[in-house]
Amino acid sequence: VAVSFSADGARAVAHRRASGAQEALARSPDGRWALRSTRPLEAQVTREDWVGEPIVLASLDGPAAAATFSPDSRVVVTSTEAGTMRVWRLDGAGGHGALRGHEGPATAAAFSPDGARVVTASKDGTARVWRLDARGEPRVLRGPGGAVTAATFSPDGALVITTSEDGAVRVWRADGAGEPVELRHTHEVRAASFFPDGTRVLTASAD
């Protein structure tokens, strides 16, 4: 399940992602590219019109579980079931390497609005905020509940919202300072998104 808003914040949509090996794990913001998991240790970025040769993302350490494009559609982050996040540049100039630290399968990843950071969620009960220049350690956002099912930044990049299997929705400072604001559902929460003005959030739950 995913939730998102229209640009003016007046409408919201929640949808279930279809299953299947060829279903796109992510689409680029400019509408040109789609990332698909094609083999257990490989993913491909293809043009949406299927013109030209795909960009092969090899050397994954497990099946791709999630992926996200940067706001400028030039970089993609893949998350695997083994818990490793890897950064790829679509211009073929290499990547920033692997983002290692999760101790369980990855469930989601999202870029900050400026494209300088990425937040990842995992079944190990944490979300982590990474700098793409690989400087410093990631900020670890750890709640008392179970697996983290999704994570995303606020429009200004100052906050991160996470959702959990235990029904918790937590709003954190992206720098990890202080305690999170906690909201509650009665069942697993599968997705969340900030309103475009950053003042409210939309959540999707199994309840």
Side-chain angles (χ1 to χ4, degrees):
V1 175
V3 293
S4 58
F5 285 94
S6 60
D8 61 5
R11 293 168 295 164
V13 62
H15 64 88
R16 183 182 298 276
R17 296 183 179 94
S19 60
Q22 292 301 314
E23 172 65 18
L25 290 176
R27 288 184 165 85
S28 62
D30 64 7
R32 295 181 57 200
W33 305 99
L35 185 143
R36 294 174 170 85
S37 180
T38 52
R39 296 179 181 177
L41 302 180
E42 179 183 291
Q44 292 185 357
V45 177
T46 60
R47 284 182 49 163
E48 284 282 42
D49 58 11
W50 294 95
V51 173
E53 293 296 316
I55 301 170
V56 178
L57 310 181
S59 302
L60 300 179
D61 62 356
T68 186
F69 285 86
S70 61
D72 63 6
S73 302
R74 295 180 179 179
V75 179
V76 66
V77 169
T78 56
S79 309
T80 69
E81 293 179 2
T84 299
M85 273 56 62
R86 190 172 293 276
V87 183
W88 314 81
R89 288 184 55 175
L90 298 187
D91 61 7
H96 299 283
L99 306 176
R100 302 184 187 276
H102 281 299
E103 299 175 354
T107 56
F111 275 91
S112 60
D114 63 3
R117 295 165 295 161
V118 65
V119 59
T120 58
S122 170
K123 290 185 178 180
D124 66 5
T126 71
R128 296 172 190 248
V129 179
W130 315 76
R131 288 181 52 160
L132 288 189
D133 60 12
R135 294 180 181 177
E137 294 296 315
R139 301 292 185 182
V140 179
L141 310 178
R142 186 188 304 272
V148 181
T149 55
T152 192
F153 284 94
S154 61
D156 64 1
L159 302 174
V160 167
I161 188 169
T162 61
T163 63
S164 302
E165 283 186 346
D166 67 351
V169 178
R170 297 183 175 95
V171 181
W172 311 75
R173 283 183 51 171
D175 62 7
E179 294 297 317
V181 175
E182 184 171 308
L183 311 171
R184 275 282 168 184
H185 278 274
T186 57
H187 292 79
E188 176 185 352
V189 188
R190 298 173 178 173
S193 180
F194 282 91
F195 273 67
D197 65 4
T199 62
R200 291 173 291 170
V201 297
L202 174 70
T203 59
S205 169
D207 60 13

